[in-house]
Amino acid sequence: MISAIALSYMQKVGWAAKFALGIINLFIGIVLFAWYGTEPIQKFFALPLYLLYGILFLWESRKYKDDILKKPNTIQIVLLLLYLSYPTISIFRNLTGIKLIFFNAYEDIILLPCGLYGITLFVKETRQSKAA
């Protein structure tokens, strides 16, 4: 993943980061949720989502090969740091997988601002493409 991000950021292979994200999401879906998953929430919620994300990232990497990564702004850096801290917090709390506050997995709160930011970007890009 680090190599793919570096290749994309240096504009050598612009689609590499999306392709790597696609492969990683498919791997997580298949191995962690389909193969090792034991809870219904893993099989019926997480598995289809990760498979869908993986397929969408692979499709994006093929369709938009000329996309380039730009330098992240301050909000993006903070959200990336929160996102990267998620596995560490999860390990210290001895939890894995997709769980909600109801399942005593408070580190999942980290994903909320990242998701909201993603929705904001999606709406903004959709509006811009309709205006063009």
Side-chain angles (χ1 to χ4, degrees):
M1 185 64 204
I2 293 171
S3 299
I5 290 173
L7 287 171
S8 291
Y9 192 71
M10 293 184 308
Q11 300 176 7
K12 301 280 185 195
V13 184
W15 51 269
K18 288 181 183 179
F19 183 81
L21 283 170
I23 297 298
I24 288 169
N25 276 285
L26 289 175
F27 176 82
I28 290 170
I30 292 167
V31 174
L32 294 180
F33 297 120
W35 190 275
Y36 291 109
T38 58
E39 301 294 322
I41 196 168
Q42 294 171 328
K43 297 282 187 184
F44 301 112
F45 180 71
L47 173 62
L49 282 177
Y50 274 87
L51 293 179
L52 177 66
Y53 293 154
I55 291 166
L56 286 174
F57 274 120
L58 291 176
W59 178 77
E60 277 269 330
S61 71
R62 181 174 169 86
K63 182 167 172 106
Y64 302 106
K65 291 183 179 183
D66 297 332
D67 281 355
I68 58 170
L69 292 179
K70 298 177 183 173
K71 185 177 179 182
N73 61 32
T74 306
I75 294 171
Q76 293 168 335
I77 290 171
V78 169
L79 292 174
L80 283 170
L81 290 173
L82 281 173
Y83 179 75
L84 292 173
S85 69
Y86 176 82
T88 306
I89 294 169
S90 186
I91 289 169
F92 284 127
R93 291 190 42 82
N94 198 21
L95 297 166
T96 58
I98 303 284
K99 295 180 176 88
L100 303 172
I101 294 173
F102 304 108
F103 298 109
N104 197 25
Y106 298 105
E107 65 272 14
D108 281 5
I109 294 171
I110 291 171
L111 300 177
L112 179 64
C114 296
L116 293 174
Y117 182 72
I119 290 169
T120 303
L121 286 179
F122 176 74
V123 169
K124 181 181 172 186
E125 296 238 349
T126 304
R127 286 181 182 166
Q128 286 178 350
S129 66
K130 286 183 180 179

